[in-house]
Each structure stands twice: as structure tokens, then as C-alpha cells.
């Protein structure tokens, strides 16, 4: 009997939601204002101390670097690719040639870290070609796995200024 | 015939769906929030590559050189000609040395527009080399095919 009476006295408690909604909306506005979409970026790490170039005679035990020449037209468009003096059709062809070069070098006992590649390009060439060339020679993706090829990449010193 | 008014009705809105959606929005924004102060500028359109590796860990003493398509270097919010970047780099070098760090271990991040002259990029790298910098990171957009 006492229990029934006490239940009758219970009242519905109304929680005031206004402060919580205020805070929640302020948080949302903060996050919306600080929201910025950043495209994922990556790096090609290149170590280039001063004074290292193909002009210097290589060590006897060291493999001569692969020479990649990128020539451009006056407006910066790629005009031609040469690898060790031989013409290359495109970056895909360059990748295949470098891959076979690396395979032969490894079979003859060289370490992948010993293989160097030098990029020699015209001053006016669009920089996008440098990244395309580095992408072509630094590795390839097979079955979703990255197979690294050339790790040591350098530039031939500038010969002429515009 | 006069209809008798029942008095003002109190409408109770159900706030639950709105709060649910709001919390979901907050959760979304919290996940995509990026506090990193990556030096990015929309005037520079980076070339893309499927092999560009995202930086592993914290880059030691990074110096970012942003080369624009017209040949200028965007450095510390100002556009500087390529040949005029030496003074600023010298100051960076002095700061690195004053902080007991080795410029040889500092990384120069090169963010160059895809249409910039390759020669200008090489010239910037050459100026950095003359000041003792050896580590370079050529930055590109990561785009898996």
C-alpha cells in the first residue's frame, strides 16, 4: 500500500536539452570551419651531396651510373628520352629497360644499392617529366606490391642557364 | 454557434533524430580533422605519382621550397626569384646550426609545380647544396592507379 502511494507521487522529470544542443552546435561549427581537404602527398627522397657527378671517374668496383637524358622542346614539352645514349620510346619503355638492367646487374652480383642513375635534362623541360622519369625508374608495382629498382638518383649539374 | 476553444496546445518536438544526426556529423568532422600545418599552396599544382611515399615519421628540420610555374619561389609567404633564395636559405642554415643541428641532415622539401622549369628546380637544389644541404624530398601528389 505504501509503495503504490509513493509511485503516484512520482513526476516526469524534464531534462533541459538547450545547453547541450548549444554546445553541440558550437562544436559542429568549429569543426566545419576548420575542415580542409588535404590531398595526400608523397616524397621521392634524394640524397645529393655537392660535387658528385658523372664527370668524376667512378670507382673501379662501382657500376657506372645509368644515364637518362630528357630533352625538351622550347615550350617545355618532352621531345625525347635517351638511356645510356639509346633512344627510349616512353616512360613505360624506360621502366622496362631499367628493370632489365637492374636484373642483369643483380644477377652479376651487384647490390641494388650500388646502382645509380643520373638524370640529365634540358633547363626548359617541364618539371612533371622529372617526376615521371623518377617514377619510372624508382620502382614498379606488380600484383599490388612495390618492387624497388633504383634508389640512388641524382641530377647532372646544370650546363647552361637560360 | 460558437466553438469553445481548448486553449493553446503545447507541442513537444522529438529532438532525438536531430541530436543523432548532429553527433554523427561531429564524429565525421573529428575523424577528418587535420591539424598538420603542411605547407600547401593552391597556386602550385604538384605532379602526381603512384610511387611517391608519404613521409615516414617526422622530417628533421624541414625547409620547404615551393616553385611556381612562372619561375618564382614561394618562400615564407613571399615570391622570391630563384637566384634570390640564397639569403633566406643562409638564414635557415644559421638557425639550424644555432639549434645544434647539422644542415646535412636537414631535409629540403621541394614542392614544384608540374609546369615549372626542371632547370629552376635543379638550380634551387644546387643553391641548397652549396649551403651544405644534402637531403632533398621531391614532393608529388600520391595517386594510386
Amino acid at each position: 500500500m505504501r509503495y503504490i502511494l509513493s509511485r503516484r507521487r512520482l513526476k516526469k522529470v524534464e531534462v533541459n536539452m538547450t545547453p547541450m544542443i548549444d554546445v553541440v552546435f558550437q562544436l559542429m561549427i568549429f569543426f566545419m570551419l576548420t575542415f580542409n581537404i588535404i590531398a595526400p602527398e608523397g616524397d621521392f627522397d634524394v640524397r645529393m651531396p655537392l660535387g658528385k657527378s658523372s664527370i668524376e671517374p667512378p670507382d673501379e668496383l662501382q657500376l657506372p651510373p645509368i644515364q637518362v637524358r630528357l630533352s625538351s622542346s622550347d615550350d617545355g614539352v618532352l621531345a625525347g628520352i635517351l638511356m645510356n645514349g639509346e633512344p627510349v620510346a616512353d616512360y613505360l619503355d624506360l621502366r622496362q629497360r631499367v628493370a632489365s638492367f637492374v636484373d642483369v646487374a643483380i644477377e652479376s652480383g651487384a647490390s641494388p644499392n650500388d646502382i645509380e642513375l643520373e638524370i640529365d635534362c634540358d633547363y626548359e623541360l617541364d618539371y612533371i617529366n622529372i617526376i615521371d622519369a623518377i617514377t619510372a625508374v624508382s620502382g614498379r608495382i606488380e600484383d599490388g606490391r612495390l618492387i624497388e629498382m633504383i634508389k640512388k638518383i641524382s641530377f647532372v649539374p646544370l650546363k647552361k642557364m637560360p | 454557434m460558437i466553438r469553445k476553444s481548448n486553449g493553446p496546445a503545447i507541442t513537444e518536438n522529438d529532438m532525438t533524430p536531430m541530436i543523432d544526426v548532429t553527433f554523427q556529423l561531429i564524429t565525421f568532422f573529428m575523424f577528418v580533422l587535420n591539424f598538420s600545418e603542411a605547407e600547401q599552396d593552391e597556386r602550385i599544382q604538384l605532379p602526381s605519382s603512384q610511387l611517391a611515399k608519404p613521409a615516414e615519421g617526422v622530417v628533421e628540420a624541414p625547409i620547404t621550397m615551393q616553385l611556381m610555374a612562372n619561375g618564382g619561389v614561394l618562400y615564407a609567404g613571399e615570391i622570391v626569384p630563384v637566384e634570390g633564395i640564397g639569403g633566406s636559405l643562409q638564414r635557415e642554415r644559421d638557425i639550424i646550426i644555432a639549434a645544434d643541428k647539422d644542415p646535412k641532415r636537414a631535409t629540403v622539401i621541394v614542392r614544384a609545380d608540374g609546369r615549372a622549369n626542371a632547370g629552376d628546380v635543379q638550380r634551387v637544389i644546387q643553391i641548397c647544396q652549396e649551403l651544405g644541404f644534402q637531403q632533398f624530398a621531391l614532393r608529388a601528389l600520391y595517386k594510386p592507379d
Side-chain angles (χ1 to χ4, degrees):
Chain A
M1 188 68 181
R2 181 178 282 175
Y3 175 69
I4 292 165
L5 282 172
S6 64
R7 275 198 73 186
R8 278 177 188 164
R9 284 195 206 109
L10 284 176
K11 287 181 182 173
K12 190 182 175 188
V13 180
E14 286 192 11
V15 180
N16 189 5
M17 301 288 279
T18 318
M20 192 196 75
I21 293 169
D22 285 352
V23 171
V24 164
F25 271 105
Q26 284 199 17
L27 272 172
M28 208 173 76
I29 289 165
F30 166 75
F31 283 123
M32 282 171 73
L33 292 178
T34 55
F35 179 62
N36 58 340
I37 300 167
I38 294 176
E41 293 182 0
D43 293 332
F44 288 104
D45 296 320
V46 183
R47 188 174 177 277
M48 282 187 284
L50 187 65
K52 290 274 286 177
S53 76
S54 60
I55 299 162
E56 297 171 7
D59 298 338
E60 284 182 15
L61 297 173
Q62 195 181 340
L63 283 167
I66 303 169
Q67 302 278 344
V68 173
R69 170 96 182 98
L70 305 172
S71 53
S72 82
S73 59
D74 290 340
D75 53 355
V77 178
L78 181 73
I81 309 172
L82 295 175
M83 182 182 145
N84 289 337
E86 292 180 10
V88 175
D90 53 14
Y91 291 116
L92 195 65
D93 188 19
L94 178 67
R95 172 172 289 162
Q96 285 165 351
R97 284 168 186 252
V98 169
S100 55
F101 184 95
V102 169
D103 290 342
V104 169
I106 289 170
E107 278 173 19
S108 58
S111 162
N113 293 330
D114 296 336
I115 307 165
E116 286 188 47
L117 184 137
E118 278 191 339
I119 296 175
D120 179 14
C121 58
D122 286 340
Y123 198 99
E124 301 80 16
L125 182 72
D126 284 347
Y127 173 69
I128 191 169
N129 292 292
I130 298 284
I131 293 294
D132 288 343
I134 294 175
T135 304
V137 302
S138 61
R140 60 187 191 272
I141 292 175
E142 285 181 8
D143 302 327
R145 284 190 312 121
L146 171 66
I147 297 166
E148 289 189 334
M149 296 195 299
I150 306 286
K151 293 180 181 173
K152 286 186 181 174
I153 296 169
S154 59
F155 292 106
V156 171
L158 287 168
K159 295 182 199 77
K160 69 171 182 93
M161 302 291 281
Chain B
M1 187 178 163
I2 299 167
R3 289 185 68 180
K4 201 173 180 180
S5 170
N6 291 332
I10 298 169
T11 314
E12 282 192 15
N13 290 328
D14 188 7
M15 303 290 278
T16 316
M18 192 194 72
I19 292 170
D20 284 352
V21 170
T22 311
F23 271 111
Q24 285 199 18
L25 276 171
I26 285 180
T27 313
F28 166 74
F29 282 120
M30 280 173 73
F31 274 110
V32 296
L33 186 67
N34 194 339
F35 279 114
S36 67
E37 292 180 7
E39 285 194 57
Q40 293 189 337
D41 194 289
E42 61 189 15
R43 284 172 284 183
I44 290 171
Q45 293 174 15
L46 290 180
S48 59
S49 168
Q50 59 171 342
L51 298 184
K53 289 181 288 186
E56 293 167 356
V58 181
V59 179
E60 187 175 338
I63 300 166
T64 307
M65 294 276 118
Q66 309 205 63
L67 271 92
M68 301 173 74
N70 61 8
V73 180
L74 190 63
Y75 181 77
E78 290 181 6
I79 299 169
V80 186
V82 171
E83 293 302 325
I85 202 69
S88 309
L89 276 168
Q90 180 74 50
R91 279 194 296 278
E92 288 281 357
R93 184 176 175 272
D94 294 343
I95 291 167
I96 290 168
I97 291 169
D100 267 348
K101 289 180 180 171
D102 189 355
K104 287 178 185 171
R105 298 192 59 170
T107 304
V108 179
I109 299 167
V110 180
R111 293 188 83 249
D113 194 295
R115 298 158 296 169
N117 284 344
D120 286 336
V121 179
Q122 271 189 273
R123 183 71 190 120
V124 168
I125 290 173
Q126 201 174 25
I127 293 168
C128 294
Q129 284 175 319
E130 286 162 5
L131 288 166
F133 296 104
Q134 293 189 355
Q135 304 278 358
F136 299 91
L138 306 181
R139 190 150 281 184
L141 282 180
Y142 171 64
K143 271 195 186 165
D145 286 341

